[in-house]
Amino acid sequence: MNKLSIVGAGMVGEAAAQIIAREEFCRELMLIDVQGELAQGKALDVWQAAVESGSDTWVYGGSNAELLQDSDLVVITAGVPRKPGQSRQDVLSINLPILDSIMLDINRHAPAATVLVVSNPVDVLTYRAWCLSGLGRDRVFGQAGVLDTARMKCFIAEETGFSARDITALVLGGHGDSMVPLMRYCAVGSVPLSHFLSSQQIERIVERTRQGGGEILGLKKLGSACDAPGVAIAKMVDAIANGRNRILPAVAILEGEYGRTGIAMGVPCVLAEGGVARVIELSLDAQEQAMFDRSADQVVRDIAEMNAL
């Protein structure tokens, strides 16, 4: 990938930039923020760290939207984070006009760019970005499931004592309390998780995964999660930049999959060069489908709330 831009030089944007620059996922990396000098300072810091790691990626920062010019991929992390006691939906009224402004800049300066939305509420804002972009669903999608899956794997490793390297997990649905951890698809070394844990233990993991972001927010108090989201972004960028055809959960626009149309939901996708190459539709049992439907209904309500603003 030649050029990648991150809009939002906060803690999440900076964490992602550090990995992207160090691993040379692009030749040129832009950090763009309304606080231009902050973006410039962080860009220099990231660049110098990357150089010392042996990377040739160039990193620049600033506030001018023209920095988006010729971007292959734009990652949107801008917006206000949650505060303790807030839901992701609580920040919608603030982050919606921010996203609208960013999409206007992208359409003007980088209309051919693929767009990865990270800002919350990510399901709603991904849908909004897609509507404003005029692009296909392969080119506009969001990050949530990679982070949620990482959290679940962490909790499974803690509960079982096994290496996280051998753990596979999958989380679908909206990014929030209605997310759908698919425990039937979770395993340790290809052995189903139910072989090692009781239903009560598994339910604790499910609930902790759903509250994973809130747990960190409540403990940190002055900030939300940043390092794990940064790694999740970098993982998706790697799959796109290097055309890896990786199956990763992403917030995608549904076109009939799982019985839903015209909403953005977390589902398994094939990420390749250019974006979402394919949405994978799993066969859900009755209980899983019911959970997915509840999550989808919540996203529908959230989109209606957004449209009313």
Side-chain angles (χ1 to χ4, degrees), residues 197-212:
L197 300 179
S198 68
S199 57
Q200 291 81 9
Q201 289 174 303
I202 291 174
E203 184 55 38
R204 282 201 303 269
I205 291 172
V206 168
E207 188 58 29
R208 195 176 180 194
T209 300
R210 286 178 175 146
Q211 305 297 328

Side-chain angles (χ1 to χ4, degrees), residues 234-278:
K235 188 173 184 177
M236 296 180 76
V237 169
D238 175 39
I240 298 164
N242 293 299
R244 295 193 186 279
N245 285 340
R246 293 204 64 184
I247 298 177
L248 296 172
V251 180
I253 304 298
L254 299 186
E255 298 176 346
E257 296 89 356
Y258 301 94
R260 296 286 171 160
T261 300
I263 63 171
M265 291 280 289
V267 291
C269 296
V270 177
L271 292 188
E273 185 177 357
V276 174
R278 176 184 168 197

Side-chain angles (χ1 to χ4, degrees), residues 10-69:
M11 297 296 290
V12 172
E14 182 180 12
Q18 289 173 348
I19 302 170
I20 291 167
R22 184 181 68 236
E23 299 297 326
E24 293 184 301
F25 293 155
C26 58
R27 286 289 297 119
E28 192 174 13
L29 175 61
M30 294 291 171
L31 270 178
I32 304 170
D33 196 281
V34 291
Q35 300 183 66
E37 290 188 349
L38 174 69
Q40 285 179 300
K42 289 192 174 185
L44 275 173
D45 196 15
V46 168
W47 192 0
Q48 290 162 11
V51 165
E52 192 59 24
S53 299
S55 170
D56 279 325
T57 294
W58 291 39
V59 188
Y60 298 100
S63 60
N64 195 326
E66 292 181 1
L67 293 173
L68 289 165
Q69 194 74 36

Side-chain angles (χ1 to χ4, degrees), residues 184-196:
R184 188 159 56 96
Y185 291 90
C186 296
V188 182
S190 300
V191 179
L193 187 61
S194 58
H195 183 81
F196 302 107

Side-chain angles (χ1 to χ4, degrees), residues 207-226:
E207 188 58 29
R208 195 176 180 194
T209 300
R210 286 178 175 146
Q211 305 297 328
E215 180 180 359
I216 293 172
L217 182 62
L219 291 168
K220 293 178 70 172
K221 294 182 174 61
L222 297 178
S224 54
C226 56

